[in-house]
Amino acid sequence: GDQARFCGRSLLPLFDERDKLEGQLAERLGLKRKIPELRDRSGLEAKMASDGWTTEESMREDNGRVDRFYLSPSGGKKLRSILEVARHAYPEFLVEPVKSDEG
């Protein structure tokens, strides 16, 4: 019984990993993944570009994976995804604007 329970518990990270890999693959093939939380991804990307956001890619030595970060115009913020950027700086691009309770 124990193993089955453990198995069920460890399914979630697995799916998460798979989603991430599919996203990276899609990007490599030039197919941008649709992010359901974003109203207008290309509009957001254009706005970010004109506001001076930059991306930084770093290759991990151990597994060759590329980590991409979004750097804010001031350089003070490093965000892991375009969705985080939207939540942080462009809530108007979110399908359901998230009220931030950070004072």
Side-chain angles (χ1 to χ4, degrees), residues 68-85:
R68 179 177 295 145
F69 300 99
Y70 293 88
L71 303 176
S72 68
S74 65
K77 276 260 183 241
K78 195 188 239 193
L79 300 170
R80 287 203 66 105
S81 73
I82 194 164
L83 189 53
E84 277 183 34
V85 172

Side-chain angles (χ1 to χ4, degrees), residues 60-65:
R60 285 200 209 171
E61 286 174 22
D62 53 349
N63 58 12
R65 265 190 55 191

Side-chain angles (χ1 to χ4, degrees), residues 2 8-9 11 13-15 17 29 33 42 45 51-52 56 58 60 67 70 73 80 84 96 103:
D2 266 8
R9 245 209 327 273
L11 275 178
L14 233 159
F15 282 122
E17 221 21 60
L29 297 173
R33 199 150 131 238
S42 49
E45 285 176 341
D51 285 353
E56 170 188 287
S58 59
R60 285 200 209 171
D67 286 329
Y70 293 88
R80 287 203 66 105
E84 277 183 34
E96 283 182 35

Side-chain angles (χ1 to χ4, degrees), residues 10-22:
S10 58
L11 275 178
L12 278 172
L14 233 159
F15 282 122
D16 196 44
E17 221 21 60
R18 194 197 60 189
D19 283 348
K20 241 184 279 171
L21 287 172
E22 281 178 3

